[in-house]
Amino acid sequence: MSRLNAGAFEFVPGRGFIQPQQPPQPLRAPIERPPQTEAPPPPPTISLNIGGSRPAAARPAPPVASPAAAPPSASVTPAPSHPASHSSSPAPQVSKKIFSTEKSKTDTSAIAREVQAVADREVLNDLFGDIKEHLNIVFIGHVDAGKSTLGGNLLFITGVVDKRTMEKYEHEAKEAGRETWYLSWALDSTPQERSKGKTVEVGRAYFETDRRRYTILDAPGHKTYVPSMISGAAQADVAVLVISARKGEFETGFEKGGQTREHVMLVKTVGVSKVVVVINKMDDPTVNWDEARYNEIKEKLTPFIKSAGFNPKDVTFIPISAYTGLNLKDPIPKSTCTWWKGSSFLDHLDHMPMVDRKINAPLMMPISEKYKDMGTIAVGKIESGHIRKGDSLILMPNKVNVEVAAVYNEVEDEIPSAICGDNVRIRLRGVDDEDITPGFMLTSPKNPVHAVRQFEAQLAILEHKNIICAGYSAVMHVHTLSEEITLPALLHYFDKATGRKSKKPPQFAKKGQKVVALVETPLPICIERFVDYPQLGRFTLRDEGRTVAIGKVTRLIDDRADDLADGVSNVTISASVAA
């Protein structure tokens, strides 16, 4: 037994365990290693250089002095060797360019983003040639902050409105006793807007710089016309918040009841992620380009804009004078303002990062307005995809097949095609203008937008004087649509401490709470889930002239079962008739 297993114990009944005796093994002599006379070769490294400049040529390693050339006082001592190690080279220093698992995650995502961006640029160049980038900017802010004046002066500076037309506006404004309003008349075109100095409908204008194309959406600032402001902001990529620096005017707009707060919250809700805060009227005698006043307004606005959900990196403050045009296109002269070192307003817009465009996604274009002019004309912003003359599309939610007869750009010129982000006018064939309502959508036949009557949404209650229970009704604003809705049921509420959803449905919801509710509309509406299309999945609820809640669509409840039942009944009837 012990011969089979040398380490086994011998057992005999009546005796104890006897450990087998092993012959002593001689000790091994220590291994002597020769002293190291040369530097070890550097370890192999893997470095990624994606989309950047070419890596610099590898520098040759400095020559290593031999032990013989060393000074007499220096002695070469070999590195201590460990018996368990098989290499006598010292541990190399870890290079920052060595490939790692953590770095691979960021590098692979960077590769994917760059490949997608290159593919999109190639598609753009192949389909549409070399075109300028397009941005939609909406002017928001309290009433009388100078939004229309800013837009009118931009049109004059960029050459869209010539000097003769501006002189005509100035003469007419002087006769009407509104001498300082003539710049705003370039955007405020109706007699009602010009006489009262208040923008009622969203004004549209278009201008170009050397780098980009811009569409101006001049939103009304009065609280009576907030629904019009929402429909304009829903078509924007960048929001320009106009603040009046005049003593008393900023405080009035920023206090509770002013439109500055509500406008900031609404543009975030409709999907705008970048804000340029222009502090206007810096040339006013009460301000006179005072840096202290600029810093005071900036310090008050920054915490509020951050609390509304904006990243501080996406918010920029620029002092301007819309009436005199200072710091709009050219920098402010040092004789006027010594402390401002930043760029001008147009220079900042030209160099700010471009928003993401879903060019290769299915076509989705919410219709903001329609009219009849030698056919049916639909106006709107292309949220995703691209459109060409001759395309066959579907008008949702009525599911009407239409054909694109012509595409017009912002200056009424016919163009062969348009891409995501463009504000266009489309002449449609196969539908009458009476059958189109703002809020309808033009979509691709292969991937049409969802049209539902019920959906689940996550709501954040902002302001309401009473509690909200099941059966509550309000007006919902989503993209360009305004629709009355009801809440048949409250499904869950979110615990403020843990952030988890409750298992039991709440009896009511009040200000400051977040709930999941079932939302129902009388007719089908075109929406998408927030995670799929953020622009088409976020909405606001308004009641009694105030914004009650903001929400996002989390689940769509399809009506296809009802449609299928109707179809089956029709099939049964037709079969009986045939029989």
Side-chain angles (χ1 to χ4, degrees):
M1 192 87 178
S2 60
R3 292 178 183 176
L4 295 177
N5 189 356
F9 291 94
E10 184 181 358
F11 174 72
V12 178
R15 299 182 186 178
F17 285 104
I18 301 173
Q19 186 175 2
Q21 296 181 358
Q22 298 179 357
Q25 296 180 356
L27 296 176
R28 296 180 181 178
I31 300 174
E32 295 184 0
R33 301 184 185 276
Q36 184 175 351
T37 59
E38 296 180 357
T45 59
I46 302 175
S47 60
L48 290 179
N49 185 33
I50 307 300
S53 59
R54 294 183 178 180
R59 297 180 180 178
V64 181
S66 61
S73 58
S75 59
V76 180
T77 57
S81 61
H82 300 281
S85 64
H86 299 281
S87 174
S88 60
S89 61
Q93 295 182 355
V94 178
S95 173
K96 294 182 179 180
K97 294 184 178 181
I98 293 179
F99 187 81
S100 64
T101 307
E102 288 299 322
K103 196 169 184 180
S104 69
K105 297 177 182 178
T106 59
D107 286 337
T108 51
S109 60
I111 294 170
R113 285 195 301 269
E114 182 163 347
V115 169
Q116 183 66 37
V118 171
D120 289 344
R121 284 197 297 270
E122 293 297 329
V123 169
L124 277 179
N125 291 333
D126 292 343
L127 293 178
F128 313 106
D130 190 11
I131 59 175
K132 293 181 182 178
E133 296 174 334
H134 181 249
L135 273 180
N136 300 280
I137 56 177
V138 61
F139 292 153
I140 60 172
H142 192 62
V143 64
D144 290 336
K147 300 182 292 296
S148 298
T149 302
L150 172 60
N153 212 345
L154 280 176
L155 297 179
F156 176 62
I157 288 173
T158 53
V160 177
V161 179
D162 56 10
K163 188 175 181 181
R164 184 177 179 181
T165 307
M166 272 301 174
E167 288 175 352
K168 175 190 170 187
Y169 289 154
E170 187 175 6
H171 181 68
E172 292 175 355
K174 193 172 183 179
E175 287 183 349
R178 304 287 189 265
E179 187 175 355
T180 58
W181 294 0
Y182 75 96
L183 287 169
S184 65
W185 285 19
L187 286 170
D188 293 340
S189 55
T190 64
Q192 178 189 2
E193 292 176 330
R194 291 184 174 183
S195 62
K196 294 184 178 181
K198 293 178 182 177
T199 304
V200 176
E201 297 178 350
V202 177
R204 289 176 178 270
Y206 172 81
F207 69 93
E208 284 190 30
T209 62
D210 295 336
R211 293 175 61 91
R212 287 177 177 167
R213 300 175 294 130
Y214 296 94
T215 297
I216 294 177
L217 301 163
D218 183 24
H222 199 275
K223 61 182 179 181
T224 308
Y225 311 116
V226 168
S228 297
M229 176 263 164
I230 296 175
S231 66
Q235 305 169 53
D237 303 313
V238 179
V240 178
L241 176 61
V242 185
I243 300 293
S244 174
R246 184 179 290 165
K247 295 288 185 182
E249 287 191 1
F250 163 69
E251 287 75 11
T252 303
F254 190 62
E255 287 173 358
K256 191 175 182 181
Q259 293 308 297
T260 301
R261 291 175 176 267
E262 187 173 15
H263 281 199
V264 171
M265 182 187 60
L266 288 174
V267 294
K268 179 61 180 177
T269 305
V270 299
V272 177
S273 60
K274 299 181 185 299
V275 176
V276 180
V277 183
V278 292
I279 302 179
N280 190 21
K281 303 184 182 180
M282 290 294 290
D283 61 326
D284 191 79
T286 61
V287 183
N288 200 17
W289 294 97
D290 184 18
E291 185 179 6
R293 178 64 171 168
Y294 169 83
N295 290 332
E296 176 191 355
I297 295 173
K298 182 177 179 180
E299 290 172 1
K300 287 184 178 180
L301 279 176
T302 301
F304 172 72
I305 294 177
K306 187 177 179 181
S307 66
F310 288 98
N311 189 340
K313 296 179 181 179
D314 296 329
V315 181
T316 309
F317 290 82
I318 301 176
I320 66 164
S321 172
Y323 185 71
T324 60
L326 286 176
N327 210 28
L328 289 186
K329 185 177 182 181
D330 299 325
I332 314 174
K334 294 299 181 183
S335 58
T336 305
C337 179
T338 58
W339 50 270
W340 178 250
K341 304 294 191 299
S343 59
S344 63
F345 176 64
L346 281 180
D347 187 57
H348 175 73
L349 288 180
D350 279 344
H351 292 89
M352 70 187 305
M354 191 63 184
V355 295
D356 294 332
R357 302 291 195 201
K358 295 183 179 181
I359 300 170
N360 298 322
L363 173 70
M364 292 192 182
M365 174 184 154
I367 297 174
S368 59
E369 57 180 294
K370 48 90 179 184
Y371 59 90
K372 197 167 187 177
D373 181 17
M374 303 289 291
T376 303
I377 304 292
V379 184
K381 176 194 172 188
I382 303 175
E383 292 292 349
S384 68
H386 52 270
I387 191 169
R388 283 184 171 186
K389 181 179 178 180
D391 283 353
S392 296
L393 306 175
I394 292 182
L395 182 66
M396 296 290 285
N398 290 351
K399 301 179 181 178
V400 178
N401 293 315
V402 297
E403 184 183 350
V404 178
V407 182
Y408 301 93
N409 61 8
E410 296 88 345
V411 292
E412 301 291 340
D413 293 337
E414 186 173 353
I415 54 178
S417 56
I419 61 172
C420 173
D422 287 345
N423 266 288
V424 293
R425 302 171 189 269
I426 298 177
R427 176 173 280 117
L428 298 175
R429 188 181 294 126
V431 67
D432 195 17
D433 66 315
E434 296 177 356
D435 299 329
I436 301 178
T437 305
F440 281 19
M441 290 187 65
L442 288 172
T443 65
S444 170
K446 295 181 180 179
N447 294 292
V449 68
H450 290 89
V452 297
R453 292 187 185 92
Q454 285 188 338
F455 59 92
E456 289 182 11
Q458 181 179 322
L459 298 175
I461 313 300
L462 302 177
E463 181 181 2
H464 199 260
K465 57 184 178 181
N466 299 321
I467 60 176
I468 294 177
C469 304
Y472 173 75
S473 61
V475 177
M476 180 180 72
H477 296 269
V478 53
H479 52 84
T480 58
L481 174 69
S482 298
E483 187 74 21
E484 189 169 344
I485 58 98
T486 57
L487 304 181
L490 302 179
L491 305 178
H492 310 279
Y493 71 90
F494 287 89
D495 191 351
K496 288 185 178 181
T498 61
R500 297 179 180 177
K501 288 194 297 187
S502 63
K503 295 183 179 179
K504 295 183 179 180
Q507 298 293 326
F508 60 88
K510 58 183 180 179
K511 178 180 176 180
Q513 280 188 330
K514 286 185 178 181
V515 295
V516 176
L518 180 66
V519 184
E520 187 175 18
T521 60
L523 295 172
I525 62 171
C526 300
I527 55 172
E528 290 286 342
R529 292 194 310 159
F530 176 80
V531 293
D532 298 330
Y533 290 90
Q535 289 291 119
L536 308 177
R538 45 163 68 96
F539 60 90
T540 60
L541 295 183
R542 287 180 57 81
D543 188 20
E544 299 179 356
R546 291 178 297 183
T547 302
V548 176
I550 58 176
K552 58 183 181 181
V553 180
T554 56
R555 177 171 169 260
L556 301 175
I557 301 175
D558 210 338
D559 295 336
R560 291 180 183 175
D562 300 336
D563 298 340
L564 184 61
D566 295 340
V568 170
S569 63
N570 292 336
V571 169
T572 306
I573 291 171
S574 61
S576 62
V577 171

